Amino acid sequence: MLQKLKALFADVDRNSPPSQRELQLASAALLIEISKADRQRDAREQTAIVAAIRTTYGLDDSTILELLSDAETASDNAPSLYDFTSIINACCSEEEKYKLIRECWRVAFADGNLDKYEDHSIRKIADLIYLPHSLSIKAKWEVREEMEGAGD
């Protein structure tokens, strides 16, 4: 399994753009990184990750489970976020990056507590994908308002 993932990411530096599967894997791995940031994995965060993948990529449940399993392994074995953020930078527009950061904030807020490590991780990812700080903060406040409104 690990060799399969290494092979998948080994081809990222080639001249052709990353595949849709590589993009999905990178996105899922970044969302998983947020869920792990506070060292307290929560079922609500996992639910938010699944919803983000389903909404963004329109995948069925079995494909999502396989993707998340592979992304979990990739996340556990990645030496840095660069393996994932380089794919996002190669594939995504600013609008798509903004949507990804919104989903990161959804995962962070899912358990009802925004931890300082989750906040830091999202800011770091936003910087690495060259999303302007103002857009990251805008996404944070939009998600916070949506989540607070849903609790009413």
Side-chain angles (χ1 to χ4, degrees):
M1 165 83 77
L2 185 56
Q3 294 297 57
K4 182 172 109 177
L5 291 171
K6 283 182 180 180
L8 184 62
F9 282 116
D11 292 336
V12 171
D13 291 327
R14 65 188 186 273
N15 291 331
S16 62
S19 69
Q20 183 69 8
R21 172 71 173 163
E22 291 168 327
L23 176 60
Q24 293 166 352
L25 185 62
S27 298
L30 290 172
L31 294 171
I32 289 169
E33 288 289 327
I34 300 306
S35 74
K36 294 183 338 185
D38 64 0
R39 293 180 169 56
Q40 296 178 355
R41 307 281 305 265
D42 186 281
R44 294 170 290 185
E45 292 172 337
Q46 184 68 18
T47 299
I49 293 169
V50 169
I53 298 299
R54 182 178 288 117
T55 301
T56 304
Y57 299 111
L59 301 176
D60 61 55
D61 289 342
S62 64
T63 305
I64 290 172
L65 289 175
E66 180 183 329
L67 176 67
L68 290 179
S69 175
D70 290 349
E72 187 78 42
T73 301
S75 171
D76 289 345
N77 293 296
S80 72
L81 296 174
Y82 178 78
D83 288 344
F84 312 126
T85 59
S86 62
I87 294 170
I88 302 301
N89 286 327
C91 294
C92 297
S93 66
E94 186 174 272
E95 180 180 344
E96 292 165 325
K97 293 174 182 181
Y98 176 75
K99 289 177 182 178
L100 174 62
I101 292 299
R102 279 182 57 100
E103 296 303 334
C104 288
W105 286 116
R106 281 188 214 291
V107 171
F109 284 121
D111 64 0
N113 177 45
L114 176 61
D115 182 85
K116 66 182 178 182
Y117 297 112
E118 293 168 327
D119 185 83
H120 174 76
S121 294
I122 296 171
R123 289 172 189 252
K124 185 176 182 179
I125 291 168
D127 285 345
L128 290 170
I129 63 172
Y130 309 115
L131 186 70
H133 182 69
S134 59
L135 288 179
S136 177
I137 296 302
K138 178 183 176 194
K140 177 181 182 178
W141 289 109
E142 287 176 353
V143 170
R144 175 175 272 176
E145 287 177 8
E146 287 172 14
M147 307 271 305
E148 288 174 356
D152 293 340

